[in-house]
């Protein structure tokens, strides 16, 4: 999970600015604008909270997915280690997507709120409670979370959860299934498990496919969660979709598609490679400790 955040966060910031910000134009212009105004540190805004919580989030998602698969294999074939069917993988992906929203929504909310603060915070010349666009509102992730709780309550912390659910359920189906299929396809015949390069490529392809599928709802989620940094524009998910469409047309739901797809490859490649290698290392340690 940590490998995934480090590999993908700079482009995630660009994606969020394109989807929920104004005046950034295309991807290249957005990158230049962030760099000119905020230097390299601007690309890493909001990274500390996902970095601190990604271990829990990733272990829950991957754990729920693999254990649901094992449960379904036990139910259908009487053997938890039996190869899962496409239906089993789909059901396991859906369950993982639903469970992930409970943990992921607050993390995504804080990350996006911090990413949408376009100026660095300095105690000397800016008031923290300033609501002028471009002025900082939050000092950091903990202050951001506390401020949201104070102003909006627990429902504010889960702002955008429906949009995230509609993003993650199909997103995880397009994540785990292509990964498993691509791993099988590129693993040489006779090999017990895929080699690291196969895992890296399969994970990258799965990430790119997944983000391409869920970008439209990711735009809605980003706008809902960014809403409230300076002012409230949207009453809910349908209002956000309708206003976005009326103002910018259908193309608005493809904002950040290129960045999402490009970011999805290294981010997911790092995620799956880290996961598989960590799992193999722990299994090896366990077998050496308990022969």
């Amino acid at each position: 999970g940590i490998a995934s955040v480090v590999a993908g966060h700079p482009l995630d910031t660009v994606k969020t600015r394109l989807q929920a910000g104004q005046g950034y134009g295309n991807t290249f212009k957005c990158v230049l604008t962030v760099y000119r105004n905020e230097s390299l540190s601007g690309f890493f805004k909001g990274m500390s909270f996902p970095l601190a919580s990604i271990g829990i989030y990733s272990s829950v998602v991957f754990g729920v997915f693999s254990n649901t698969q094992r449960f379904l294999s036990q139910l259908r074939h009487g053997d938890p280690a039996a190869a899962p069917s496409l239906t089993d993988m789909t059901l396991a992906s859906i369950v993982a997507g639903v469970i992930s929203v409970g943990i992921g929504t607050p993390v995504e909310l804080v990350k996006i709120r911090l990413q949408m603060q376009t100026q660095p915070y300095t105690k000397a010349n800016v008031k923290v409670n300033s609501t002028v666009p471009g002025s900082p509102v939050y000092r950091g992730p903990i202050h951001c979370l506390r401020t949201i709780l104070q102003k909006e309550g627990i429902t504010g912390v889960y702002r955008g959860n429906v949009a995230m659910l509609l993003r993650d359920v199909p997103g995880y189906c397009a994540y785990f299934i292509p990964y498993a299929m691509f791993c099988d396809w590129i693993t040489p015949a006779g090999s017990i498990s895929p080699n690291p390069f196969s895992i890296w490529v399969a994970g990258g392809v799965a990430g790119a496919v997944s983000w391409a599928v869920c970008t439209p709802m990711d735009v809605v989620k980003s706008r809902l969660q960014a809403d409230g940094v300076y002012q409230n524009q949207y009453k809910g998910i349908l209002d956000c979709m309708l206003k976005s469409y009326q103002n910018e047309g259908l193309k608005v739901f493809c904002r950040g598609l290129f960045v999402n797809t490009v970011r999805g490859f290294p981010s997911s490649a790092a995620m799956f490679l880290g996961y598989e290698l960590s799992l193999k290392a722990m299994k090896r340690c366990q077998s050496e400790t308990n022969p």
Side-chain angles (χ1 to χ4, degrees):
I2 290 169
S4 171
V5 171
V6 172
H9 194 82
L11 281 176
D12 184 70
T13 299
V14 174
K15 179 267 298 183
T16 302
R17 297 284 180 89
L18 283 170
Q19 289 179 341
Q22 294 179 349
Y24 288 104
N26 56 37
T27 304
F28 184 67
K29 186 181 176 184
C30 182
V31 171
L32 281 179
T33 303
V34 173
Y35 179 72
R36 283 172 183 165
N37 294 342
E38 304 162 62
S39 74
L40 280 175
S41 63
F43 295 101
F44 293 92
K45 280 191 172 181
M47 190 174 83
S48 58
F49 198 48
L51 205 60
S53 57
I54 192 69
I56 299 169
Y57 178 78
S58 297
S59 61
V60 168
V61 170
F62 277 78
V64 167
F65 174 76
S66 58
N67 282 296
T68 303
Q69 270 196 159
R70 289 172 64 83
F71 171 75
L72 292 171
S73 293
Q74 175 70 45
L75 206 62
R76 292 174 186 272
H77 312 292
D79 179 12
S85 65
L86 182 61
T87 304
D88 291 348
M89 283 194 286
T90 303
L91 285 172
S93 300
I94 290 170
V95 173
V98 171
I99 297 297
S100 73
V101 173
I103 301 171
T105 302
V107 176
E108 286 277 305
L109 179 70
V110 170
K111 181 197 73 175
I112 284 175
R113 291 285 175 96
L114 292 173
Q115 285 174 329
M116 292 308 295
Q117 292 192 121
T118 56
Q119 302 297 325
Y121 170 74
T122 53
K123 287 184 179 180
N125 56 20
V126 179
K127 293 180 180 178
V128 178
N129 62 358
S130 173
T131 55
V132 179
S135 300
V137 180
Y138 314 113
R139 289 193 293 264
I142 303 301
H143 180 256
C144 177
L145 191 61
R146 192 168 65 242
T147 304
I148 294 168
L149 275 169
Q150 287 171 350
K151 289 184 176 181
E152 305 170 53
I154 193 68
T155 54
V157 174
Y158 281 89
R159 185 175 177 82
N161 61 341
V162 176
M164 191 165 176
L165 186 69
L166 294 174
R167 182 197 74 169
D168 282 4
V169 169
Y172 277 120
C173 287
Y175 189 60
F176 287 115
I177 295 171
Y179 171 73
M181 294 173 73
F182 205 79
C183 261
D184 287 342
W185 182 55
I186 61 176
T187 301
S191 296
I192 300 172
S193 60
N195 58 47
F197 179 73
S198 298
I199 294 167
W200 185 83
V201 173
V205 170
V209 170
S210 174
W211 278 109
V213 167
C214 64
T215 290
M217 196 49 63
D218 187 50
V219 173
V220 178
K221 182 200 72 73
S222 293
R223 291 190 166 206
L224 281 171
Q225 292 187 323
D227 192 36
V229 176
Y230 303 114
Q231 59 183 345
N232 290 308
Q233 300 180 63
Y234 311 116
K235 296 173 184 175
I237 183 171
L238 291 176
D239 185 52
C240 179
M241 292 172 74
L242 190 61
K243 284 181 178 175
S244 298
Y245 172 71
Q246 286 173 342
N247 293 334
E248 300 168 68
L250 275 176
K251 65 180 181 181
V252 68
F253 299 109
C254 293
R255 274 199 175 190
L257 176 62
F258 175 73
V259 179
N260 259 345
T261 306
V262 170
R263 177 181 68 93
F265 192 98
S267 178
S268 296
M271 173 79 84
F272 276 106
L273 187 61
Y275 171 74
E276 296 286 6
L277 293 181
S278 298
L279 209 58
K280 283 181 181 179
M282 284 185 279
K283 284 179 179 177
R284 188 163 56 247
C285 287
Q286 193 175 29
S287 62
E288 290 172 0
T289 308
N290 304 304

